[in-house]
Every structure is written in structure tokens, then in C-alpha cells.
């Protein structure tokens, strides 16, 4: 290698240098040894030299590998990465001078790539980066000692640059380098400098105003008819900004001090409508005496449920109705869905029951979860429009009168079959978008689910707004702008009409760090205004204007004009069907029936919902005699959704006429969904009918489609097929994706019969090494629960035969360990310790920091540098994510802010008792609650009939007073240990 490396040593690699507070670091690139994947039996080995500057304190690595990688620094192993969906962060001490990075990789199947970024942090706060790119050297035939700095690498070639982080097929699993916690940097009292915020060429960004301490944190905005900006504070009340006509300051006034957390603001009908989340209601504010003050506040509707994913945005529809979007913690009251509601026939509709869903996030959520409502100006008429949503914060209509939103993901579930990324959704009449709690999530391709318009990836969606009223150039004036709070991003989503829906693509429009964007609107001047804030962070108001040369609207060619015309006609057709949703009409079936065969999923869905809204007796016979395959299968699926038990035998008999036949993948999925719904909604069929269908499915299984195979597997498990195990295990081995493999393992976990001993052994071998599955927080918990369910199904003979394998999976150190009892030292407060934080830089005691960390049982809830559990947040890299004061305050006062995903559940019983803990099971009759976060074996059973209420607790599972048995030096050693990621050679520690 030194034929190449010697040249590099004479001219050391110049790292990108960026000072503290600057914009995001450079984006690393995926690289490989060739454009095409290597055979799975080959390795690809990479090398790079670089010079670390004087004053360097720490080296941090970000690593992604498809599929495995081992990192060496100067010939020593520093860590491993497994899977391109799981970010590996490594930290190690590094001295000034020349060093060699070496990475050994292996691709197991499919696409291949390696992505790495090194960050060097200096004592003066400056940082330097080195990223993977085509300048790295690579070989597929390494010789002994190739990782060493002294190795000569003659014949190595340059790596192939596959493209930057974010490209397909990998996307950006990190959310811009796992920057989810960048918002914590906004607890500073200082707004982010607009000079560090990236905007496209031709645009400029200005900081108009920073919130004063007494003005709170800002979460939503809306311009009034006079061009003034109304801003909702996170805690309570509303501000109104009046902009000067020329030079001068913005005039600020308080216009409401009572309403709590007003996430939705809408000026309409000479009123200000407010969706107040913590007030749990929709209000109408009016000025009745003409003094420009709101003197009347009418309560239009109270809403039940929690406030986490709560009462969100408002929008005025082209029909004059007011639309409200609610997250999945808001419950429908008894009068919904009322007369005329397009969404009516919803249910959980999931085949495989899972008792530990009750231990997963939002365990009390039931269908339809998050939902879209509409009401008239006086709040008298209410309708449920759409549902099956997790949490959509913002909504807006485009120039065509179509409604869009940006839905949140459950980032803990990354890597699991039921994970769905953040998505741009076209919200249509009667649409069920398939969100269900826990493992009950519908597949994105479910035939009775409205499709996603665009998957974005990990993020934290907040406000959305179309730029229709802006002075932006044409491509942007038609775009939907969506905000990502967690990663400080604004995307422009460009929509192209396609059928009765739209094709979408996204463009990163604004990026800052921190830039926890909460809402946006367009002013009368045609500029974009947006605010940052939320979670008590520093708020500010920014303006983005287009200052470039005006871009002429491109002339559409005849093909584009024809496509746009066809799309308008398709949308018009959908609009003719939507008035039948939720309303009986003697003409509805005749109008809608021909379109059950439409190739346009939006039209076909609108037709199905129109038919389902009519009395079944009007179309039952028609459904049972329809000959067009797609129309017939769609009609039978509709019948399964709304008919009663008496229709089941005829429905299944007619379904057999088409399945499996010569159906394409889409038709097979509709047929299988129709059968699934017939089981779920109409009940268990007669034994002979069930046996016949089991044989039909066995003959068809497996197919060449993973989607169809997943549905067939679940049906065969439900029908207790004797061959489901033997036919599914080869699919586990052949699965092309982790999600596909896990879906099969999950489905087989409760199968008791028809296993050979070798099949049992093969199944448990897949679960033996959970690190082989890359994913987020929930992954290890799910794997353990799947394993527990499977173990519970073993016979005594199987348990005895598999005892060595099962014992190997039970690590001895997983048993709860008692806390070390220590005497009380002092009731420590922030003021007692904050002045000593500068002592963390050097001279701390590593052994004592490690011992304190273990004695306090921190590793029972947290992971640090790959060790520990995931009951609480991962502490790896916390020294980079949090300031030292913030980290200390979090340990001292853990309940000051508790992320909703880590909150235990407070269960109030009818006798007045209160039980607080993590729900780990629900058999339909009682809950199982783990009341000790450090010992999962301490369980309490609570009967459903004894429960008065259950709500997320405001108290952290992390105990307060945790530091009260420690001396000041022990506390400082513990903090240094955390900041250094448990590295004994970190500069913080004495040598």
C-alpha cells in the first residue's frame, strides 16, 4: 500500500474543519469495491490515512454497513457495525499525528456498501471530519496484517463512490447522522444564526425576532386577515405580531391567556378557531364589539383522551367546512362516527393476537387511532372523515382542493415488520391509513388501506403548508412544505398528478442545527414565515424570501397536458363517488359499481366505500355474481367488512371461484384480505369450510411474492395448518429482508404442534443472536418476547431436548442484581454542582466512574457503548448530544422532562389505589404490570374491571435522588464516564 500511502503521507489528508456552532458536517458517501455487489463469500477491505491535529481530544466514528463491518484504528479493533439500518457510533482516544483507518466488510445478500464518518474534536471546540468517498483504497484479496499502519498495499484500487448518505436503497436511517436530539441544543436562550442555516440558491433567510423569556416557546402560527401573525405559546395563551410598514420593531401583544397549548389556529368566518390540546377542546374566538380584541370564546366541542399525540392543526376546506386533525391519543366520543361520516366501518382487523402489545408504546390506542374530523362554522355538525393515523400535526389543501398531511413514525420500531417511516399522506374521504398500535399495524399494501403518497424516513413531523399564496418561483409555489422538528429540516414536496392521486418527490429545502421547526405560514408579502420551539426550547421567528431572478413557468408538452387532463378527470370521478360515503342513496350502488374494477386505487377505494355505505341487501347478490376478478374480489372484501355471519358461507364459496386461479399479486392480496376479514368480522367458519380453505392455501403456499407469502403464513397459522412450519422455515432462510424474516418468525411463535425437533432447533437458532437483527429500541424487546412465546409452546420433551440451546440464550448476567446500599451524603441540587462541571475535562478517575455507574444500576436501563439494556434512552454519545449542564440536570431531576415513549403508565383502580409501571401483557381480562423498572420479574396482575383510568405517568422511571449517596468527586467521575462513553483512555481520565 505504501506505493500509494507514501504519497499520502507526504501530503496528509486535509480534513474538513468547521468551528463550533457552524452548519452540519459534510455528508459521507457510500462506497464499495465495485458497482455491483460482491459474492457473499468475499470480503472488501478499505484503508485510509489521515493526520490528526494538535489539541485533538476525541475521535468519534459513525458507521453503517450493508451488511457487516469491523473497524480498525492503527491495527486495533475498535468496534463493529451490523446492518445498514442501525447506526453504530464509536468513540476512542486519539493522539496527534498520522493514523490509519481500516475497515473489513462483508455483504451477505443484496446491495453492498460501507459508510463511515470520523469526527475529531479539539480542546478549542473546533471539529474536523473525514468521510468515506472514492479516495479510500480497497481490495477484495487482503494479505495478513493489512490493517497495520506499516502494511504495504501495492495493487489496491480506489473505492467506488456509490453516492451520498440518503440515496437508495439505503436512504438515511440516521436522520442526518442520528441527529434526533439536536433540539436539546435549542435550550440556550439564543436563536440559531440564519447564516448557518442552509437554503437553496436564490432564497434568503432572516431572523425576525427571538422570543423573550416571558413569551414562552412557540408551537403554531397563522396570519389574520389584517396580515398580523398570531402565535400560540406552548404552555398557554396567544400572541399577536404586527409588522412595521417600514423600518421599526415588531409590535407584540397578548390576545389570550387562558387556552392551553393551541396547536391548531385558523382565521375564518370573522373568527379565530383554536384547537387547544391541553384544554382538550375546539374553541371559536370572536370580536363582537369591534375593539380588535377577542371578547367572546365559545366552546364548540370537547374531546376526550390524552395530549401527547393530541389535538393538532385546523384547515378550511373548499366545501366551507373546518377540518381538524387529531393524533392517536385523542378518543372519539360516543356520537362519532355520526350520520354522514365517510369513515365508519373500522376495526383493529389484525389476525395474529399478541398479548405483549399491551407493553408497547400507546397501548391504550384503539382503531381508528389518529383521525380527521370536519365541522361547520358553528360546530353543530360533526363527521369523521378519515383515520388509521399515528400522529399528523399539520394539514393543508392544495390548489386542487386536495388535503395533505405529514404522518409521524414510531422510530423505536425501525427494522421490525410493522415499522412505517414518516409519510406524506393524501387524506381522502373515508380513507383508513392502516395505523394500528403495536404489532397490529397493517402492511402498507393492505388492500383496504389508503396508500402513502411519499415515504420520507425517520423524523418528527410538525407543520405543513402549500406555497400556493407565495411569491416563490413556480416549482416551489406548487409544492407542499413539510417540517421535521427533530432533525431541523424543511422539505419541499413536489406533487405530480397521477390518476386520482399524486406522485410525489421530496427536496431538502432548509436545514439547520438546531432548528426545531414547529409551524409555518405564508404572508401577504409572499414570503415563508416559520417558528422554532417546542418542549420549552428557545423560540424564534424566521422569514424566507425568494430574491433570485423570476423563473418562467415551463410550457407543458402535449403529453404532460394530456396526463394532467386525465388526472383532473380521475379526481373528478373520485369526487362524484365521495358524496355517497356515509350516506345511503338509492343511486349509489349503480354509480359506484363499475369502478370497483378500476386500476386506479384511489377510484377503486372511493367506489368500495360508497358501496359499503349502502344497505347490504341492495348489493349482496350483485357481489356474489360479479365476474370481473378485481371488481368481484373488492366487492367480497367489502362484504366481509359490513355483512353479518349469515353471508359467510356464500362469501367464501364465491371467493373460492377466483382464488388462486390466474390472479396477479394485487388480486391475490385482495382475495386474502377478504378471507382474513371474513374470519375476523364474521367469525370462525364451519370446520369443513376451514379445512377446505386450509388445503387451498397450503397448495398455493409459498408463492414468488413475499407479500402474499406473509399473508398466507398468518392465515395458515390461524387455520392450524399441519404444514405451515415445514413450508415457512425455508422462507425464513431465503428472506431477502430482515422485515420479511421477522414476520415469519413472529407468525410461527405460537404454533404448538407439527414441529420436528430439528425445526424447533432451527427456529431458536434464528433468535439466539439478537445482534444479527439491526433495529431500534424495540428490537431486542420484541425478539425476547417472540422467544418467550415460542418457549411457552414447547412440550416437556422438547424443553428437555433443547435445554442446552435455551440455556445458552439465558445469560447469567441478565438476572436482576440488587443495588448496592450506600449511606446518604447530600441532597444535591444543580447549584451545588454546576460550577464544578469544568473539572470534567481532565483528571477524573475512570475506575470510580465505572463503579458508580454500575452501583447505581444505570446499565439495567441504559446502553452505553454497546453494553446494557434499552429500557431507557441510549447514553452512547450523550457527551455530543447534550451540554454538561443539561446532562447533570437530567440526572438530578429525571422527571423535569420525560420523553413520552419512556413514560410508565399510571393505573387508577376503582378502590382508589394507584399502580405505576410498564404494561407487559394483556390477555383481554387483566393487565400484567412490571412495577419495578430494574426487575421485570416483579409483576402485578390488574383486572380490567378494577381499572378506573390509565394515563401516562408524569414521573420518570429513573428515580430522583439518584446522586444523594455520592460524593461530589464520585458524581463528577460518573459524568466524565458518561461523556467519555466509558473509555479508560479518554483525556478526561487521569493516567
Amino acid at each position: 500500500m505504501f506505493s500509494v500511502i507514501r504519497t499520502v503521507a507526504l501530503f496528509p489528508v486535509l480534513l474538513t474543519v468547521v468551528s463550533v456552532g457552524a452548519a452540519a458536517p459534510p455528508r459521507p458517501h457510500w462506497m464499495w469495491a465495485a458497482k455491483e455487489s460482491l459474492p457473499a463469500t468475499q470480503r472488501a477491505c478499505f484503508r485510509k490515512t489521515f493526520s490528526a491535529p494538535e489539541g485533538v481530544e476525541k475521535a468519534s466514528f459513525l458507521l453503517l454497513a450493508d451488511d457487516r463491518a469491523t473497524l480498525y484504528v492503527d491495527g486495533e479493533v475498535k468496534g463493529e457495525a451490523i446492518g445498514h439500518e442501525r447506526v453504530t457510533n464509536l468513540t476512542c482516544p486519539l493522539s496527534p499525528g498520522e493514523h490509519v483507518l481500516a475497515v473489513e466488510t462483508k455483504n451477505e445478500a443484496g446491495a453492498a456498501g460501507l459508510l463511515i464518518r470520523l469526527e475529531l474534536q479539539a480542546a478549542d471546540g473546533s471539529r474536523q471530519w473525514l468521510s468515506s468517498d472514492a479516495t479510500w483504497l480497497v481490495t477484495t484479496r487482503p494479505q495478513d496484517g493489512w490493517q497495520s499502519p506499516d502494511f504495504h498495499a501495492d495493487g489496491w484500487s480506489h473505492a467506488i463512490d456509490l453516492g451520498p448518505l440518503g440515496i437508495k436503497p439505503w436512504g438515511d436511517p440516521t436522520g442526518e447522522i442520528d441527529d434526533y436530539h439536536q433540539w436539546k441544543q435549542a435550550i440556550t436562550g439564543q436563536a440559531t444564526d440564519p447564516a448557518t442555516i442552509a437554503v437553496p440558491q436564490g432564497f434568503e433567510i432572516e431572523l425576525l425576532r427571538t422570543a423573550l423569556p416571558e413569551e414562552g416557546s412557540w408551537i403554531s402560527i397563522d396570519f389574520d386577515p389584517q396580515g398580523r401573525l398570531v402565535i400560540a405559546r406552548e404552555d398557554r395563551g396567544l400572541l399577536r405580531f404586527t409588522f412595521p410598514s417600514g423600518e421599526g420593531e415588531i409590535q407584540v401583544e397578548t390576545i389570550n391567556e387562558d387556552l392551553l397549548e393551541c396547536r391548531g389556529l385558523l382565521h375564518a368566518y370573522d373568527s379565530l378557531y383554536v384547537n387547544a390540546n391541553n384544554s382538550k377542546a375546539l374553541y371559536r374566538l370572536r370580536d363582537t364589539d369591534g375593539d380588535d380584541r377577542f371578547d367572546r370564546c365559545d366552546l364548540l366541542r370537547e374531546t376526550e383522551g390524552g395530549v401527547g399525540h393530541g389535538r393538532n392543526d385546523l384547515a378550511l376546506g373548499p366545501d366551507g367546512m373546518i377540518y381538524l386533525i387529531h393524533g392517536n391519543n385523542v378518543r372519539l366520543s360516543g356520537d362519532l362516527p355520526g350520520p354522514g361520516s365517510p369513515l365508519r366501518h373500522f376495526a383493529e382487523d389484525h389476525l395474529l393476537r399478541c398479548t405483549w402489545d399491551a407493553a408497547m408504546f400507546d397501548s391504550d390506542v384503539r382503531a381508528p387511532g389518529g383521525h380527521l374530523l370536519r365541522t361547520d362554522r358553528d360546530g353543530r355538525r360533526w363527521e369523521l372523515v378519515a383515520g388509521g393515523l399515528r400522529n399528523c400535526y399539520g394539514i393543508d389543501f392544495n390548489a386542487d382542493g386536495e388535503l395533505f398531511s405529514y404522518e409521524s413514525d414510531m422510530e423505536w420500531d425501525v427494522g421490525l415488520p410493522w415499522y412505517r417511516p414518516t409519510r406524506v399522506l393524501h387524506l381522502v374521504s373515508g380513507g383508513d391509513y392502516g395505523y394500528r398500535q403495536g404489532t397490529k399495524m397493517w402492511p402498507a399494501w393492505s388492500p383496504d388501506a389508503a396508500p402513502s403518497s411519499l415515504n420520507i424516513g425517520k423524523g418528527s413531523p410538525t407543520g405543513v403548508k402549500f406555497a400556493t399564496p407565495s411569491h416563490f418561483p413556480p416549482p416551489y409555489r406548487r409544492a407542499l412544505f413539510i417540517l421535521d422538528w427533530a432533525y431541523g429540516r424543511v422539505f419541499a414536496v413536489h406533487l405530480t398528478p397521477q390518476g386520482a392521486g399524486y406522485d410525489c418527490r421530496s427536496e431538502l429545502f432548509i436545514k439547520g442545527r438546531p432548528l426545531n421547526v414547529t409551524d409555518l405560514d405564508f404572508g401577504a408579502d409572499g414570503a415563508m414565515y416559520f417558528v422554532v420551539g417546542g418542549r420549552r426550547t428557545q423560540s424564534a421567528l424566521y422569514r424566507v424570501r425568494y430574491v433570485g431572478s423570476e423563473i418562467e413557468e415551463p410550457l407543458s408538452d402535449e403529453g404532460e397536458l394530456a396526463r394532467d387532463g386525465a388526472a383532473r378527470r380521475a379526481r373528478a370521478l373520485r369526487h362524484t363517488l365521495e358524496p355517497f360515503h356515509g350516506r345511503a342513496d338509492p343511486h349509489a350502488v349503480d354509480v359506484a359499481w363499475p369502478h370497483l374494477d378500476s386500476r386506479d386505487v384511489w377510484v377503486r377505494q372511493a367506489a368500495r366505500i360508497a358501496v359499503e355505505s349502502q344497505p347490504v341487501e341492495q348489493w349482496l347478490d350483485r357481489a356474489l355474481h360479479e365476474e370481473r376478478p378485481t371488481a368481484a374480489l373488492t366487492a367480497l372484501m367489502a362484504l366481509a367488512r359490513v355483512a353479518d355471519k349469515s353471508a359467510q358461507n356464500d362469501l367464501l364459496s364465491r371467493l373460492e371461484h377466483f382464488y388462486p386461479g390466474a390472479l396477479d399479486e394485487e388480486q391475490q392480496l385482495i382475495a386474502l384480505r377478504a378471507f382474513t376479514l371474513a374470519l375476523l368480522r364474521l367469525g370462525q367458519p364451519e370446520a369443513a369450510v376451514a379445512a377446505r380453505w386450509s388445503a387451498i392455501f397450503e397448495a398455493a403456499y409459498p408463492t414468488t411474492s413475499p407479500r402474499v407469502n406473509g399473508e398466507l403464513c398468518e392465515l395458515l397459522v390461524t387455520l392450524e395448518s399441519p404444514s405451515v412450519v415445514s413450508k415457512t422455515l425455508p422462507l425464513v432462510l431465503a428472506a431477502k429482508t430482515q422485515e420479511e424474516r421477522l414476520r415469519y418468525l413472529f407468525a410461527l411463535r405460537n404454533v404448538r404442534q407439527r414441529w420436528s425437533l430439528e425445526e424447533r432447533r432451527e427456529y431458536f437458532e434464528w433468535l439466539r443472536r439478537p445482534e444479527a437483527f439491526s433495529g431500534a429500541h424495540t428490537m431486542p424487546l420484541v425478539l425476547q418476547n417472540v422467544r418467550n412465546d415460542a418457549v411457552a409452546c414447547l412440550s416437556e420433551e422438547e424443553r428437555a431436548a433443547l435445554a442446552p440451546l435455551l440455556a445458552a440464550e439465558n445469560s447469567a448476567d441478565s438476572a436482576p442484581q440488587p443495588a448496592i446500599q450506600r449511606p446518604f451524603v447530600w441532597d444535591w441540587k444543580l447549584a451545588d454542582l454546576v460550577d464544578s462541571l469544568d473539572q470534567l475535562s481532565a483528571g477524573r478517575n475512570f475506575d470510580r466512574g465505572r463503579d458508580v455507574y454500575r452501583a447505581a444500576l444505570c446499565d439495567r436501563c441504559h446502553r452505553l457503548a454497546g453494553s446494557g439494556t434499552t429500557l431507557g434512552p441510549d447514553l452512547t454519545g450523550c457527551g455530543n448530544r447534550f451540554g454538561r449542564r443539561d446532562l447533570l440536570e437530567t440526572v438530578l431531576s429525571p422527571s423535569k422532562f420525560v420523553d413520552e415513549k419512556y413514560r410508565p403508565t399510571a393505573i387508577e383502580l376503582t378502590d382508589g389505589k394507584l399502580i405505576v409501571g410498564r404494561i407487559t401483557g394483556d390477555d383481554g381480562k387483566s393487565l400484567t404490570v412490571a412495577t419495578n423498572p430494574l426487575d421485570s420479574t416483579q409483576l402485578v396482575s390488574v383486572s380490567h374491571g378494577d381499572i378506573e383510568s390509565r394515563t401516562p405517568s408524569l414521573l420518570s422511571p429513573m428515580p430522583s435522588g439518584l446522586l444523594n449517596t455520592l460524593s461530589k468527586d464520585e458524581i463528577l467521575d460518573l459524568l466524565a464516564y458518561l461523556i467519555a462513553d466509558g473509555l479508560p483512555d479518554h483525556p478526561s481520565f487521569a493516567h
Side-chain angles (χ1 to χ4, degrees), residues 20 63 138 164 166 304 343 358 474 517 539 598 708 762 812 824 857 880 893:
V20 173
L63 200 60
V138 63
E304 302 173 2
L343 180 62
V517 285
S539 279
S598 175
V708 172
E762 179 182 351
F824 175 82
L857 301 185
N880 296 328
S893 305

Side-chain angles (χ1 to χ4, degrees), residues 746-812:
F746 176 81
L748 292 179
R749 77 194 194 286
N750 284 332
V751 175
R752 292 183 175 273
Q753 307 296 329
R754 310 284 185 172
W755 291 83
S756 71
L757 193 59
E758 283 308 307
E759 287 171 337
R760 285 289 196 193
R761 194 181 308 277
E762 179 182 351
Y763 181 87
F764 282 106
E765 284 288 353
W766 280 110
L767 300 174
R768 185 176 184 179
R769 294 179 64 246
E771 70 274 8
F773 295 93
S774 62
H777 177 93
T778 310
M779 179 66 72
L781 302 177
V782 166
L783 292 173
Q784 184 61 44
N785 283 326
V786 167
R787 178 186 177 279
N788 291 344
D789 284 350
V791 169
C793 292
L794 296 176
S795 66
E796 291 301 322
E797 293 78 7
E798 289 173 325
R799 286 175 184 267
L802 298 173
L805 176 60
L806 299 179
E809 297 181 32
N810 284 316
S811 173

Side-chain angles (χ1 to χ4, degrees), residues 350-360 363 366 418 437-440 746 749-750 781-782 785-786 789 920-924:
H350 186 74
L351 200 57
L352 299 182
R353 190 162 179 230
C354 179
T355 58
W356 38 270
D357 270 334
M360 300 180 74
S363 60
R366 297 293 179 266
W418 46 86
Q437 185 268 342
T439 66
K440 300 186 289 292
F746 176 81
R749 77 194 194 286
N750 284 332
L781 302 177
V782 166
N785 283 326
V786 167
D789 284 350
T920 61
D922 184 352
D923 61 6

